[in-house]
């Protein structure tokens, strides 16, 4: 019995990382936006550094998106005036991103419900399919 | 009871499973009508991939417009694809983005086909 239990536990443990990776893959897009907004909300926009994530700016081209992160960060800290000065699209960007996150969550919850329903009728489907092929 | 692989052999993976679920309680005629309508309405993942690559040339966000996400499209267009980082994100999961759009379209088409007959 103990051997059985340990075996079952092993199975559970071995399934866990797979499930985690599955969830991460499924929700990768909303997760990216949520993490980005959280990081911008936590960090202080006034810290000046020459380090830039933007590949265009690092090459030397003037990038129209640069300053957007700082702008969003200012807006999330409540400093709307500074946000508008840094980049005018900052506040609309927050609204668009929140809308996108919400619509993705709604979409995934609907699809999940559909899959559960289908699983219930899946066995019938298979048997009927087999009959159809034989005929 | 109809089989997707006969009607729409170009489908693969998640999309095929999803469409099979939609089609399974349709009659033969309805399924055929669904197949023609859906083939016209759906977006191919390859086109989305190619259009996403345009983002590296300076015109970012067309993939979002094609997938009916106007807000995100505008945001990408005016910020050069969120400083190219957004374009790279879309490049990685272009298949998922297309499937999200296609599954919504498929549901609408299925409702239409069932309602008309």
């Amino acid at each position: 019995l103990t051997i059985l239990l340990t075996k079952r536990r092993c199975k559970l443990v071995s399934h866990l990382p797979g499930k985690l990776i599955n969830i991460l893959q499924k929700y990768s897009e909303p997760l990216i936006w949520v993490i980005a907004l959280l990081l911008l909300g936590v960090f202080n926009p006034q810290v000046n550094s020459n380090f830039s994530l933007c590949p265009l700016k690092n090459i030397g081209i003037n990038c129209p998106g640069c300053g957007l992160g700082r702008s969003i960060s200012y807006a999330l800290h409540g400093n709307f005036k500074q946000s508008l000065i840094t980049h005018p699209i900052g506040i609309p960007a927050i609204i668009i991103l929140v809308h996108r996150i919400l619509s993705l969550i709604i979409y995934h919850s609907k699809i999940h419900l559909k899959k559960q329903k289908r699983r219930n009728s899946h066995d019938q489907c298979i048997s009927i399919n087999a009959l159809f092929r034989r005929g | 009871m109809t089989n997707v692989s006969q009607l729409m052999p170009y489908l693969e993976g998640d999309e095929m499973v999803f469409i099979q679920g939609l089609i399974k309680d349709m009659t033969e005629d309805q399924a055929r009508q669904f197949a023609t309508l859906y083939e016209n309405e759906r977006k191919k993942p390859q086109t989305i991939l190619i259009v996403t690559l345009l983002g590296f040339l300076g015109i970012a966000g067309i993939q979002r417009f094609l997938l009916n996400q106007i807000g995100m499209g505008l945001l990408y267009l005016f910020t050069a694809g969120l400083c190219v980082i957004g374009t790279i994100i879309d490049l990685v999961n272009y298949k998922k983005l297309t499937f999200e759009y296609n599954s919504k379209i498929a549901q609408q088409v299925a409702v239409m086909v069932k309602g008309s007959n």
Side-chain angles (χ1 to χ4, degrees):
Chain A
L1 209 146
T2 47
I3 293 169
L4 258 175
L5 268 177
T6 46
K7 267 188 183 173
R8 211 170 264 175
R9 224 171 260 166
C10 278
K11 263 188 183 175
L12 269 177
V13 169
S14 66
H15 271 280
L16 244 171
K19 264 191 178 174
L20 226 157
I21 289 167
N22 245 340
I23 289 170
L24 276 180
Q25 275 183 341
K26 196 174 150 194
Y27 293 103
S28 59
E29 207 199 326
L31 268 179
I32 285 169
W33 300 137
V34 167
I35 290 169
L37 282 181
L38 279 179
L39 284 179
L40 288 173
V42 168
F43 285 118
N44 189 0
Q46 273 159 336
V47 178
N48 259 330
S49 66
N50 288 323
F51 171 72
S52 171
L53 266 177
C54 177
L56 285 181
K57 201 177 179 184
N58 285 334
I59 291 171
I61 305 167
N62 204 358
C63 168
C66 282
L68 190 76
R70 255 173 300 137
S71 169
I72 291 175
S73 195
Y74 274 126
L76 289 176
H77 283 93
N79 195 347
F80 296 111
K81 207 174 172 185
Q82 192 60 43
S83 161
L84 278 175
I85 293 167
T86 335
H87 203 296
I89 307 180
I91 294 164
I94 296 173
I95 298 166
I96 292 168
L97 284 179
V98 168
H99 173 258
R100 176 81 185 131
I101 291 164
L102 288 179
S103 66
L104 271 172
I105 289 169
I106 290 168
Y107 161 76
H108 278 301
S109 60
K110 270 185 187 170
I111 287 285
H112 190 68
L113 279 177
K114 278 255 161 75
K115 267 187 188 163
Q116 274 182 340
K117 269 187 201 165
R118 207 175 306 139
R119 216 164 274 157
N120 292 339
S121 56
H122 189 64
D123 296 331
Q124 291 177 1
C125 181
I126 286 173
S127 58
I128 291 168
N129 222 343
L131 274 174
F132 192 74
R133 270 182 198 155
R134 262 180 225 158
Chain B
M1 187 65 223
T2 41
N3 210 342
V4 215
S5 48
Q6 291 164 1
L7 274 174
M8 292 170 269
Y10 49 85
L11 297 183
E12 54 182 23
D14 268 352
E15 202 179 355
M16 194 167 84
V17 175
F18 185 78
I19 300 295
Q20 176 76 73
L22 279 179
I23 273 188
K24 69 167 188 277
D25 49 347
M26 285 181 185
T27 62
E28 192 93 10
D29 281 342
Q30 279 179 334
R32 209 158 282 147
Q33 197 186 350
F34 175 87
T36 48
L37 282 174
Y38 181 62
E39 193 175 357
N40 285 337
E41 296 272 322
R42 99 185 189 105
K43 295 280 192 308
K44 284 182 195 163
Q46 290 95 305
T47 43
I48 299 301
L49 177 64
I50 291 163
V51 159
T52 308
L53 284 173
L54 275 180
F56 291 114
L57 301 178
I59 320 160
I62 299 173
Q63 74 274 18
R64 297 283 179 166
F65 283 118
L66 281 180
L67 300 176
N68 216 3
Q69 301 167 17
I70 297 153
M72 289 298 278
L74 286 173
L75 184 64
Y76 272 51
L77 191 65
F78 287 128
T79 59
L82 302 178
C83 286
V84 191
I85 295 163
T87 303
I88 293 168
I89 291 173
D90 281 7
L91 208 61
V92 171
N93 57 353
Y94 72 99
K95 273 192 180 168
K96 223 179 299 163
L97 283 169
T98 330
F99 174 61
E100 185 199 338
Y101 175 81
N102 282 342
S103 61
K104 281 176 189 167
I105 289 290
Q107 280 172 354
Q108 284 173 16
V109 172
V111 169
M112 226 167 68
V113 167
K114 278 177 194 166
S116 65
N117 290 16

